[in-house]
Amino acid sequence: MRLLTGKTALVTGASRGIGRAVAQQLAHHGALVAIHYGRNETAAGETLTQITRAGGRAFLVRAELGTPDDAKTLFTHLEDALARHRTGPELDILVNNAGASGSARIHDVTPELFDRLFAVNAKAPLFLIQRGLKYLRDGGRIINISSAAATTAYPESLIYSMTKGALNTLTRALAKELAPRGITVNAVSPGYIETDMNAAKRTTPHTAAALAGASAFNRLGHPTDIADIVTFLATDHSRWITGQILDASGGTRL
């Protein structure tokens, strides 16, 4: 079933990893998908090609997040692109997936790391939502990609964990704020996923096995594992779920 036919979605950070898988799944179910990317146009183009070859509809939108006026830049480009597709500028689904990572314990944290991670992981989603609300139709969906690191002790990546905690707080507050418009706001919290972001943590068979062993299923998650959950939240099947932080860690550290 094409559950999202007639819907328009914006997925940030959709050039690879979880974002790419989410964009592919939403397009598979009939949505017109705006593939946002920051710098890697080649990877974003690959996402677009894979979607169109599979019969889906999508287009590229470039804007570097964590910079001044990033939300304004993104939505200006989005409006132009939607006009070229003779649709919009309304949105039905906003997926805040783009994120920056950085490992540092308390003694290694720097103001530069703090500012960069909060700019991309917390500030950008906040102002993308703020600006996007005038485009988002009543009954729309906002889905934030959080992390299991926000709800477990993860001192190795202190600031990253803090940014995802802020995103969870934003999710709950906006769920109540936007409920009168029928807009649901939820977050999905992955554990260890096979993406470029986690590549450095699985450089040897031993480290890869350790990460897989954190899950009750004894494997790393795949981007599609998360994309399927996001797709459910984007459909009408999830209409009675809002303000939730869905653990999508494969039973990590149960």
Side-chain angles (χ1 to χ4, degrees):
M1 294 178 63
R2 294 171 68 83
L3 299 171
L4 299 173
T5 297
K7 305 291 187 181
T8 300
L10 167 61
V11 182
T12 68
S15 63
R16 54 199 175 122
I18 292 172
R20 173 181 287 181
V22 168
Q24 289 175 318
Q25 277 288 72
L26 297 182
H28 173 73
H29 284 280
L32 170 64
V33 179
I35 301 168
H36 162 265
Y37 70 101
R39 298 180 181 178
N40 196 336
E41 185 174 3
T42 299
E46 291 171 359
T47 303
L48 177 61
T49 298
Q50 291 175 17
I51 289 174
T52 54
R53 282 180 177 172
R57 300 167 62 229
F59 58 88
L60 301 181
V61 178
R62 182 184 183 278
E64 188 169 350
L65 302 184
T67 62
D69 294 325
D70 51 3
K72 178 180 179 181
T73 299
L74 194 157
F75 277 98
T76 297
H77 292 169
L78 179 65
E79 277 193 51
D80 293 342
L82 287 173
R84 291 196 298 272
H85 282 75
R86 299 179 181 178
T87 188
E90 293 81 14
L91 275 179
D92 300 282
I93 303 157
L94 170 58
V95 181
N96 284 305
N97 166 76
S101 63
S103 297
R105 292 177 177 269
I106 182 61
H107 299 295
D108 300 317
V109 169
T110 64
E112 292 77 18
L113 177 67
F114 182 96
D115 290 344
R116 180 173 67 86
L117 295 193
F118 266 91
V120 177
N121 296 354
K123 183 179 179 180
L126 168 65
F127 287 100
L128 285 175
I129 293 170
Q130 182 191 66
R131 194 170 191 92
L133 282 176
K134 73 175 184 178
Y135 301 92
L136 196 65
R137 290 187 177 97
D138 290 354
R141 301 285 185 265
I142 297 173
I143 304 159
N144 299 319
I145 304 302
S146 182
S147 171
T151 53
T152 58
Y154 196 47
E156 299 91 337
S157 293
L158 174 60
I159 305 305
Y160 176 79
S161 301
M162 290 173 65
T163 66
K164 295 302 185 177
L167 192 63
N168 290 354
T169 298
L170 174 67
T171 298
R172 294 189 185 97
L174 290 183
K176 188 169 185 178
E177 178 82 8
L178 300 178
R181 290 184 54 191
I183 296 171
T184 66
V185 188
N186 292 290
V188 178
S189 293
Y192 294 118
I193 306 294
E194 278 190 291
T195 64
D196 293 346
M197 184 178 287
N198 286 322
K201 300 176 184 176
R202 45 187 170 85
T203 53
T204 69
H206 175 74
T207 56
L211 295 183
S215 163
F217 299 111
N218 196 36
R219 70 168 175 86
L220 292 172
H222 303 300
T224 52
D225 293 326
I226 308 305
D228 286 343
I229 298 168
V230 172
T231 301
F232 163 70
L233 290 174
T235 70
D236 191 53
H237 291 327
S238 67
R239 61 191 175 276
W240 204 236
I241 300 174
T242 195
Q244 300 306 301
I245 317 300
L246 276 70
D247 184 288
S249 67
T252 293
R253 296 171 182 160
L254 284 176

